[in-house]
Amino acid sequence: MARFAGGKAPFIRIANEKGENTKRIMRDFLIGLLPVILFSWYKNGISVYLDGNISVLEMFYPLFFIIMGGLLAYIMEGIFFYITDKDNRNLKGIMRRLNTSYAVIPGVILALLLPLYTPIWILMFAAFIATIVGKMLFGGFGNNVFNPALLGYAVVGFTFSGIVTDINVIFNGSEIVMDSYAGATPLGTLASFRGTGDAFSYQALVEPYGNLWDFFLGTIPGALGETSAFAILIGFIWLAFRKVIKWFTPIIYIATVFGLSWLIGIMAGDSGVWFPTYSILTGGVMFAAVYMATEPVSTPTNPLGKIFFALFLGVLTVLFRFVGSLPEGVGTSLIVMNIFAIPIDTYSGVIRTKLFKKPGPLYISILVGVLIILVIYTLVASGNMYTAITSLFNLGQVI
Amino acid sequence: MKNFLNKYGIIISLSLALLLIFIFGGMYSRYMTNQIDVHEQERYEEKLLTIVDEGSSLEEFASSGLETEFNKPNGTGTYQPELIDSFLVKDKDNNDIAIIYVVETYGNSEGLKVAFALSLEEDDIIDMMVIEHNETVSEPGQFYNKLIDENFFEQFENKDLDVIDFTVDAVSDATYSSKGFEVAMQYARELYADDFDDYEIIEINIQVNSVNYNYDLTTINDYQFIANITFGKDNNEASVALDNDFNYLQIISGVEPTASEIEALPNYIADSGEVSNSLRVVSYDDTTNTIEVRVRGYSSAGIIMEIELNSSLTDYNSIDIISTNENYDDPYNGGYDGAEAPAVEDEYLVEYTNNDVIMDSVAGATRTSEAMIDALTWLDQLLVELNGGS
Amino acid sequence: MIFHKAKGVQIDGRKELCKKHPLIDYLNPDTVYIPLVQRHLKLEPVVDVGDIVKIGQVVAEVGGFGAITSHASISGEVKSFKKVWHSSGKMVEAIEIKNDFKNQLDERIKAVKNVKELTREELVEIMKNAGLTGLGGAGFPSYIKYQTKENIHTVIINAVECEPYLTCDYQFIIRFAKKLIKGATYMKRAAEASKVVIAYKAYNTKVEEVLKPYLDKYPDIELYPIKDIYPAGWEKYIVEQITKKTYKSLPAEIGVIVNNSATAIIYSDAVERNIPLISRPVSITGEGIKEPKTFFVPLGTKVSDLIEQCGGYIDGLEPMKANYIAGGPMTGRAIFIDDLVVNDTLGAVIIKLFEEKDYPECLGCGKCADVCPVYITPTEIKKAYERKDVNLLGLLDANKCMECGLCSYICPSHVEITDAVKKGKELLRKGAK
Ligand code: SF4
Ligand code: SF4
């Protein structure tokens, strides 16, 4: 009579299947980042090198920087495990912990969020905040409330805002911004409109950087990873195809930003599609949509929750962009929504099963109600900034 | 040892890795940051080079950085424009063809950085470029923008350094900015003259010692004035012949002035105050011995008189008013007895020919009187000269 | 709607393991142990140590709601009352009967003449006396379904067997196709329904092959192929697929009764010859078995005997690196000691090897919520359970969980999420009281 191992049903697990587990998801996620990594290397390194403007050493720096992001996070987690886990103070033990911790991804994303000329020590500090504070102190992989990379970026952005914004205006390795750009990233230009009462114009917002096609391709100044919608799109298709992320989260988020920006544009007296298009192509909306709003741990779990999350995120992004004091609407809204992911998850969990039975309708109306209030507030608050809104009322009188 | 490595090997290597990244990554990123400035300089020089068409490379040039004060455009004192950079421009055969001065001056606000490229051969401004400025650009068609709209910058192109009046035509509503550019241009010329020995800013230094009418009837038709001047660095003396408008005609004696001095001469004469009266000799006819003179009175057309001299050229035979445009019956001017021209003139002539007296100024016709006094005084002097000084 | 669709999941069946050999009869084990439990009810033995019992003789019973009887599955002497491992994962009291190999039948077992004249009540009574239960795994006494007051129009025979590895139903049907058809007709009569639908997995064309010939004779019987997904064998799913209607708790609400195919086969014997439920098919399979086979065995047979029939465990099996699973791999239980006996709900014993691995924590991918066939949110239930928030568990409908195991199956991080939901369900039940 042999004694067998215990276990819990079901006894077949996808997790044990080759290539169907979290490791695979994380690997695919990393592959999904590849187009962005390669593009930023191309934009900041290869293409400039080919033009003969920089040295070989400089050409490899973007890649080096991104790899360092991943490596730093990895090493730091290793040290953290060594310190906290007394039973596993050997190579095998630490590797085992690292294997189920996926430190590289936040590190790489972090590097992509930062501008190229960020000094390494700032990257180190950011990686420390991201992995140790943002992830390990929350209880490690799976327990972090905030997106670790974003937290690292936000903390660095606040503490070293001078350094980070200064170097943000650099277009790439050789084309240091001189006079053709107003000395800012596109978002900075947008922010300069705040409170001036001027209606924004294509000339002021887009033309200094080329045209919207340049925005789409990503040949504009900005952080390493955020500029190219094109590369991000490729990543998105891959991730959605591999079912690593839910395809609808980015789309709903982007659509919300697009729609609201359009409304605001119309209120400011310019109903052109260029403005909403510009809005979604700047400030990392695309990057956040594909790689951060879909980050599983810090966003709602169930599909309905993800939908609500994306909607709220879109509204908050626009709100912070036009109303808050930071041009970085995306990061701020993500951090806020990381917190609200928890109640949204619970609410949507209830709604999913109860639907129109009590208390489903109550919960639905709470979520939808808050959403509508936010939308209205955003429209009113951002509309107020533009004298052009008066023309809307004048129009009303004429009709 | 082995034990120790087993125990602490991992943490040591992990920390070491971190340290290595910190050191070497730090060096790498430091290098990159330094490269920003290098590239910035590259781009900047590239941009400067576009000012000179034939230029193919730049070479840093050690300028003397001459110090000169200029007035601030808003009139709140003076300041020293700053020389930011200077480069020699070389063509593809590596010959120096131009020099670029990047200077910072003061327009509407500080920090107006302008580059001027001066041709070494032609001694003129090849072109200029605005590098940086803080002027007002928010108003379309206003201030700085107006400079662009009105092609302000075109006037710098090929401007000769030897122009005496080395200024620019300011654009209204952008006078401070215009002034800032002007100062930059002038400062660039100063630097140029200081840095290159073979060029000197034309310096006009004329002292007018005396200006006199030409009373010599043999040459009176050739030139009307004779001026004695001291000029130039070496205090050259000369006596020069001038026409009615003080334009230089010829040298009478002494050192001949340079072209630019000649050019500047009329202003000096006019400013000297040596000839204040309004009389001009129009012509002298040596067959009839008549001199026609015009003297400005109340009207700008003046009074034209014909003086006929006797045949021995010692005295006048007659003085006739040929035409006059004077008008002194205007009650606003006080009027002169309600009489019409040439009543006053005639009165002066009568008094002069009969009594040899030049009347004092007549109330109500002051300007006309002065004209007549000038004319008669001149005639007195002419006669003195004709009679050999008595 | 994106967030509200039960798609089911295709799982690699691995049924080929057991299909190599046809159903093998193993009807005369040395000893059988008739467990004295039926679902959560304890049965009272009606025999004593030393009694000689015949095949089909009642040996234990229980009254009240869900009253049921157990029968001797072989003839022989009652040796003792002994604790044995039961498929519920616990040790239970059982009657040990030593085979005398005389195969004496109880006198009730004989061919019934007036089959055609049996009334509905009589047919249900036969079901009850035969101790017939759902052989699919629920073990719910079948007759109770037929005592419904609702108007039943369709009887569905569930031959889907959606769990991986299991082939006992499939092989049972191949062997006793005619009995299935007959059993199904009797069930139709017992429910006074107008038609019978036999649902089977579309890729099991063999089932269609063996059943087709009877369809002409039995026009009330329909075949219904079902997609190869899990949990396609789930009552609610089948009913929804066939009738396009949903119900709340019992299919009878919309006039449907669902029975397992093996139950129908046994029932045909019960009607025609009065043979009670004394045997069933069992698959002995899994990578840990040398030659997986499916057996037709008397209830109470020791699984170790059957494993021996399969050539035993594979060589070099490390039991602590294998699960001994009673039931299907999705819903079955891990048994610690390989001393299990066959009971009515045991469709298979699977020896499944596993590798010890480190798994990351729940990453919140939401796959579990996507896959849940009852649209509840396992992660939230897990959290609510960890906080012991009974109220929230109620809001989240933890009780809806049908324990299909899909959420754990799909979880890429190997989170024991099904277990957590089960516990949440339990807590809710207790807390609600
Ligand atoms: S076990 Fe329960 S919670 Fe999990 S998928 Fe099945 S029904 Fe849903
Ligand atoms: S329990 Fe598993 S399947 Fe569910 S969200 Fe977590 S990781 Fe994903």
Side-chain angles (χ1 to χ4, degrees), chain C residues 33-296:
Chain C
Y33 303 84
I34 307 293
L36 288 173
V37 294
Q38 215 285 326
R39 293 189 299 141
H40 54 279
L41 300 175
K42 265 187 95 66
L43 270 59
E44 279 304 316
V46 295
V47 289
D48 256 330
V49 178
D51 286 1
I52 302 294
V53 293
K54 294 173 181 165
I55 296 174
Q57 184 181 336
V58 175
V59 292
E61 62 186 10
V62 68
F65 178 76
I68 198 94
T69 49
S70 274
H71 307 84
S73 54
I74 54 171
S75 66
E77 188 192 345
V78 176
K79 275 280 182 203
S80 66
F81 295 95
K82 203 178 165 187
K83 286 225 165 187
V84 292
W85 283 94
H86 183 255
S87 66
S88 61
K90 295 183 205 109
M91 288 194 91
V92 299
E93 199 83 12
I95 305 170
E96 181 186 5
I97 301 172
K98 177 104 179 78
N99 199 345
D100 57 8
F101 297 103
K102 288 180 189 150
N103 284 339
Q104 285 186 328
L105 298 179
D106 192 69
E107 29 307 332
R108 276 186 25 235
I109 300 181
K110 55 181 186 287
V112 176
K113 300 265 167 50
N114 56 341
V115 175
K116 292 224 168 68
E117 285 131 48
L118 291 172
T119 62
R120 176 175 184 176
E121 284 71 29
E122 283 165 338
L123 281 165
V124 174
E125 193 60 25
I126 289 171
M127 221 178 251
K128 185 175 180 183
N129 290 337
L132 199 60
T133 59
L135 298 183
F140 194 70
S142 305
Y143 71 90
I144 296 175
K145 292 186 191 170
Y146 289 84
Q147 284 174 340
T148 178
K149 302 269 155 348
E150 307 280 344
N151 197 11
I152 303 297
H153 52 79
T154 308
V155 171
I156 295 175
I157 304 296
N158 179 358
V160 173
E161 202 173 36
C162 57
E163 283 222 38
Y165 287 93
L166 302 196
T167 58
C168 57
D169 283 356
Y170 167 78
Q171 287 178 320
F172 208 37
I173 293 167
I174 304 297
R175 171 93 167 264
F176 299 112
K178 183 158 189 204
K179 284 191 183 178
L180 174 66
I181 297 287
K182 282 189 172 166
T185 7
Y186 298 142
M187 281 177 167
K188 189 193 83 178
R189 277 167 55 194
E192 288 180 336
S194 53
K195 68 170 179 179
V196 178
V197 179
I198 300 175
Y200 65 102
K201 266 204 182 149
Y203 74 80
N204 275 336
T205 45
K206 192 93 181 275
V207 171
E208 197 187 323
E209 228 170 80
V210 296
L211 294 179
K212 260 274 167 58
Y214 299 100
L215 294 187
D216 295 340
K217 244 173 98 191
Y218 298 89
D220 301 340
I221 297 182
E222 282 172 27
L223 294 184
Y224 194 95
I226 286 203
K227 266 198 292 183
D228 177 27
I229 55 164
Y230 184 84
W234 175 39
E235 222 170 57
K236 213 167 193 170
Y237 182 84
I238 297 185
V239 171
E240 214 177 293
Q241 290 287 305
I242 294 177
T243 65
K244 314 283 181 250
K245 273 187 237 158
T246 54
Y247 57 88
K248 260 197 172 136
S249 56
L250 286 173
E253 287 163 26
I254 55 168
V256 175
I257 289 179
V258 183
N259 272 110
N260 183 267
S261 56
T263 310
I265 293 171
I266 300 288
Y267 185 52
S268 80
D269 273 348
V271 172
E272 290 177 358
R273 296 174 58 209
N274 254 332
I275 304 176
L277 171 60
I278 51 168
S279 46
R280 65 153 302 145
V282 179
S283 293
I284 306 296
T285 179
E287 293 85 355
I289 297 289
K290 254 194 188 145
E291 247 184 278
K293 285 174 185 164
T294 306
F295 298 95
F296 185 44

Side-chain angles (χ1 to χ4, degrees), chain C residues 368 371-376 378 381 400-408 417-418 421:
Chain C
C368 49
V371 96
C372 176
V374 292
Y375 320 125
I376 58 178
I381 294 174
K400 266 200 200 167
C401 172
M402 50 170 286
E403 305 185 11
C404 65
L406 266 184
C407 44
S408 274
I417 188 83
T418 304
V421 177

Side-chain angles (χ1 to χ4, degrees), chain A residues 82-381:
Chain A
Y82 184 90
I83 293 169
T84 53
D85 191 348
K86 288 200 176 64
D87 308 332
N88 278 317
R89 286 191 172 166
N90 50 51
L91 188 62
K92 229 172 117 197
I94 289 178
M95 286 311 280
R96 254 189 38 217
R97 299 287 312 259
L98 283 171
N99 256 340
T100 56
S101 183
Y102 314 106
V104 175
I105 291 176
V108 169
I109 293 188
L110 178 66
L112 288 172
L113 287 176
L114 289 169
L116 177 62
Y117 287 91
T118 313
I120 283 282
W121 63 271
I122 287 191
L123 179 67
M124 277 179 116
F125 180 72
F128 174 80
I129 298 286
T131 57
I132 307 300
V133 179
K135 195 167 132 191
M136 302 322 288
L137 292 187
F138 277 97
F141 177 78
N143 295 315
N144 43 301
V145 172
F146 299 104
N147 188 327
L150 188 64
L151 196 71
Y153 172 73
V155 168
V156 165
F158 277 116
T159 39
F160 305 110
S161 64
I163 300 178
V164 175
T165 34
D166 272 3
I167 46 193
N168 218 350
V169 302
I170 293 166
F171 174 70
N172 67 21
S174 88
E175 287 186 49
I176 316 299
V177 178
M178 276 178 77
D179 55 337
S180 54
Y181 304 119
T185 50
L187 258 200
T189 318
L190 180 64
S192 69
F193 268 83
R194 268 203 300 245
T196 60
D198 296 338
F200 19 63
S201 65
Y202 186 85
Q203 280 74 18
L205 290 177
V206 179
E207 261 173 20
Y209 309 97
N211 54 34
L212 284 174
W213 183 245
D214 294 321
F215 277 73
F216 178 74
L217 289 180
T219 52
I220 51 170
L224 271 176
E226 71 176 19
T227 56
S228 175
F230 177 65
I232 294 166
L233 214 59
I234 296 177
F236 169 68
I237 292 170
W238 160 261
L239 291 177
F241 178 72
R242 297 288 292 175
K243 299 219 166 69
V244 175
I245 62 168
K246 282 268 179 294
W247 59 270
F248 52 79
T249 318
I251 289 185
I252 292 176
Y253 171 50
I254 291 170
T256 311
V257 175
F258 187 90
L260 268 182
S261 306
W262 202 353
L263 275 180
I264 288 171
I266 289 170
M267 283 164 50
D270 188 342
S271 60
V273 192
W274 71 267
F275 181 66
T277 314
Y278 161 86
S279 296
I280 61 170
L281 291 177
T282 48
V285 169
M286 288 280 188
F287 188 81
V290 175
Y291 298 107
M292 297 204 295
T294 58
E295 199 263 348
V297 182
S298 57
T299 63
T301 304
N302 68 68
L304 181 62
K306 285 181 205 283
I307 292 175
F308 272 114
F309 181 83
L311 286 170
F312 273 104
L313 192 64
V315 178
L316 285 189
T317 299
V318 177
L319 181 69
F320 289 134
R321 236 183 215 190
F322 289 106
V323 185
S325 62
L326 302 155
E328 270 287 353
V330 177
T332 323
S333 57
L334 259 171
I335 287 192
V336 172
M337 284 314 292
N338 278 169
I339 301 171
F340 284 103
I342 299 162
I344 286 184
D345 221 352
T346 310
Y347 272 46
S348 53
V350 174
I351 295 173
R352 254 164 64 82
T353 173
K354 295 288 189 196
L355 264 186
F356 300 115
K357 270 178 278 154
K358 242 177 100 187
L362 176 70
Y363 281 23
I364 294 176
S365 36
I366 290 176
L367 285 182
V368 173
V370 173
L371 194 64
I372 290 175
I373 290 171
L374 272 179
V375 168
I376 292 174
Y377 177 69
T378 306
L379 287 182
V380 171

Side-chain angles (χ1 to χ4, degrees), chain C residues 17-18 20-21 24 284-295 306-314:
Chain C
L17 279 179
C18 223
K20 278 184 230 144
H21 300 275
I24 294 165
I284 306 296
T285 179
E287 293 85 355
I289 297 289
K290 254 194 188 145
E291 247 184 278
K293 285 174 185 164
T294 306
F295 298 95
L306 300 177
I307 290 176
E308 230 165 78
Q309 292 291 314
C310 297
Y313 303 119
I314 50 161

